Amino acid sequence: MSKTKQENSEIDTIDRKILDLLVENARISITEISTAVGLSKTPCALRLQRLISEGYIDGFRAILNPKKLGMDHVAFAEVKLSDTKEKALTAFNTAVRKIKEVEECHMIAGRFDYLLKIRTSDIRRYREVLGEKISSLPNVASTSTSVAMESVKESGR
């Protein structure tokens, strides 16, 4: 039975090598990829296109240097909601996506409901974001903040 266009095919070790290479350097050329994985350029390019079309690769982006941009203050806010019914969660999720300072937002199973990674220029700006934006999100009952002293690893891998 053949796979439909919507179904994902299995990925093999060559596909995984291609993905690893792209994670390390998204600007790597197809020639460099094909050499590293031991394929000629055309089959390698076809594999890359398949990985993109099947959703294994969400996109390519520039990784900015937050220190150079004056945005190296990182805080983590634990957020407890007053209501955790689906409608309240959806309202919170929709609103938090609109706050540019929130780099990540994760729903948590534990003593609080969400963990937010917030990047600002300094503690003063963080306090403004917390007071004016985070605390006014739908159904926020309380927050607790931890400030990062140093970022050891942030690449996602």
Side-chain angles (χ1 to χ4, degrees), residues 18-19 21-23 25-28 33 48-49 51-53 56-63:
I18 291 170
L19 295 174
L21 289 165
L22 289 168
V23 166
N25 177 10
R27 295 181 67 173
I28 190 171
I33 294 172
L48 177 57
Q49 189 55 48
L51 291 168
I52 293 168
S53 67
Y56 290 101
I57 299 171
D58 282 335
F60 299 88
R61 69 190 103 211
I63 300 170

Side-chain angles (χ1 to χ4, degrees), residues 74-77 101-106 115-119 151 154:
V74 175
F76 295 90
E101 294 87 355
V102 175
E103 282 192 349
E104 296 180 21
C105 175
H106 304 273
L115 180 64
L116 281 56
K117 178 183 177 187
I118 302 161
R119 184 177 296 278
S151 293
E154 288 193 286

Side-chain angles (χ1 to χ4, degrees), residues 57-122:
I57 299 171
D58 282 335
F60 299 88
R61 69 190 103 211
I63 300 170
L64 305 179
N65 183 326
K67 187 171 185 173
K68 284 250 190 213
L69 296 168
M71 298 293 289
D72 57 340
H73 182 270
V74 175
F76 295 90
E78 297 172 357
V79 177
K80 181 84 175 141
L81 300 184
S82 59
D83 181 0
T84 56
K85 293 184 183 94
E86 197 58 39
K87 186 176 178 181
L89 297 174
T90 300
F92 179 88
N93 294 348
T94 300
V96 77
R97 286 185 185 106
K98 295 176 183 172
I99 301 174
K100 69 179 173 98
E101 294 87 355
V102 175
E103 282 192 349
E104 296 180 21
C105 175
H106 304 273
M107 183 185 287
I108 302 294
R111 67 182 194 281
F112 53 93
D113 300 305
Y114 286 91
L115 180 64
L116 281 56
K117 178 183 177 187
I118 302 161
R119 184 177 296 278
T120 57
S121 56
D122 54 33

